[in-house]
Amino acid sequence: MTNARPRLYVDAQFTSPYALSVFVVLREKGIDFELLPIDLETAQNRTADYARLSLTQRVPTLVHEGFALSESSAIAEYLEQLFPQNPVYPHTPRQRARARQVQAWLRSDLLPIRQERSTLVVFYGHRGGPLSPAAAAAANQLIAAAQELLADGGQYLFEQWSIADVDLALMLNRLILNGDPVPANLVDYARRQWQHPAVQEWLHLPRPAL
């Protein structure tokens, strides 16, 4: 075992939604860590050194006591089990499963939204044109699912905040911050999640000019 601080490798522009998610988990759990930017534009993630470190050659990658792990959901699960204080997932099995379902869905589906509303909208203020029919259909799917998940009018997806709230808010903000139509209650929900201290810290990281 080593006493070195965990290292979190993220993209140099700080626009990865998955890096944000892990950053928030680490901050929420009070874990001191080193933040190391990787320049994806110059393919720094494809270098031999990083390839040896990250099995997927992607960000985020966490290095903890000599163990390197990629993929944000896997990292969050690892940290939740290793550092159970300040949990970032719900306590009950069904709600935990639902939170992971939401995360998996947001990462694997809704591709037209991710293509036409990149996180440059969220973190750099870049706006895109009108949504294509495919992206508009994906937006309607996202909104319908979010409305169902938040049907009880609560502040969070579950009784208490979870990391799934940050992930859902980010996907909604791809639309909201571009000026696309989103119901007022979902706008309020996304803005509320955006005030989380760790999210605010991420938002205020010094980003290079594009």
Side-chain angles (χ1 to χ4, degrees):
M1 293 284 187
T2 174
N3 292 323
R5 289 190 298 163
R7 304 196 306 275
L8 179 65
Y9 292 86
V10 302
D11 62 301
Q13 286 73 38
F14 307 116
T15 59
S16 166
Y18 316 116
L20 163 64
S21 190
V22 174
F23 180 91
V24 171
V25 171
L26 285 162
R27 282 288 188 252
E28 186 70 13
K29 290 185 173 295
I31 300 169
D32 183 31
F33 64 96
E34 184 178 4
L35 189 67
L36 297 172
I38 293 291
D39 191 347
L40 304 183
E41 295 297 321
T42 61
Q44 193 175 357
N45 57 310
R46 304 298 184 192
T47 63
D49 286 345
Y50 192 73
R52 280 193 295 269
L53 186 70
S54 172
L55 182 66
T56 61
Q57 300 180 30
R58 298 182 356 164
V59 296
T61 290
L62 178 75
V63 180
H64 175 246
E65 296 184 341
F67 175 64
L69 185 64
S70 303
E71 299 303 314
S72 57
S73 294
I75 296 170
E77 174 97 12
Y78 172 77
L79 293 171
E80 183 80 334
Q81 292 182 349
L82 205 61
F83 302 96
Q85 70 274 19
N86 300 326
V88 298
Y89 286 103
H91 295 289
T92 69
R94 288 187 177 183
Q95 288 191 345
R96 287 172 71 93
R98 182 69 75 195
R100 290 182 175 116
Q101 176 190 355
V102 169
Q103 288 186 296
W105 174 58
L106 293 173
R107 285 159 170 72
S108 64
D109 202 350
L110 308 170
L111 178 61
I113 297 177
R114 297 200 302 274
Q115 290 176 327
E116 298 183 28
R117 297 292 183 261
S118 79
T119 51
L120 294 181
V121 172
V122 178
F123 300 114
Y124 276 89
H126 290 196
R127 290 198 172 197
L131 292 170
S132 68
N140 288 338
Q141 181 187 2
L142 170 64
I143 289 168
Q147 292 284 42
E148 179 65 24
L149 288 163
L150 296 163
D152 63 357
Q155 293 188 7
Y156 309 115
L157 290 170
F158 310 104
E159 286 89 351
Q160 295 180 319
W161 175 90
S162 76
I163 191 59
D165 285 300
V166 173
D167 292 341
L168 178 59
L170 187 141
M171 185 61 82
L172 289 168
N173 273 333
R174 292 173 185 263
L175 302 173
I176 294 167
L177 297 178
N178 193 75
D180 299 311
V182 174
N185 67 309
L186 297 184
V187 173
D188 290 343
Y189 164 80
R191 286 175 176 165
R192 191 179 307 116
Q193 311 319 315
W194 233 228
Q195 296 309 308
H196 191 286
V199 174
Q200 283 292 305
E201 183 181 350
W202 179 268
L203 289 173
H204 288 92
L205 290 172
R207 289 176 172 78
L210 294 179

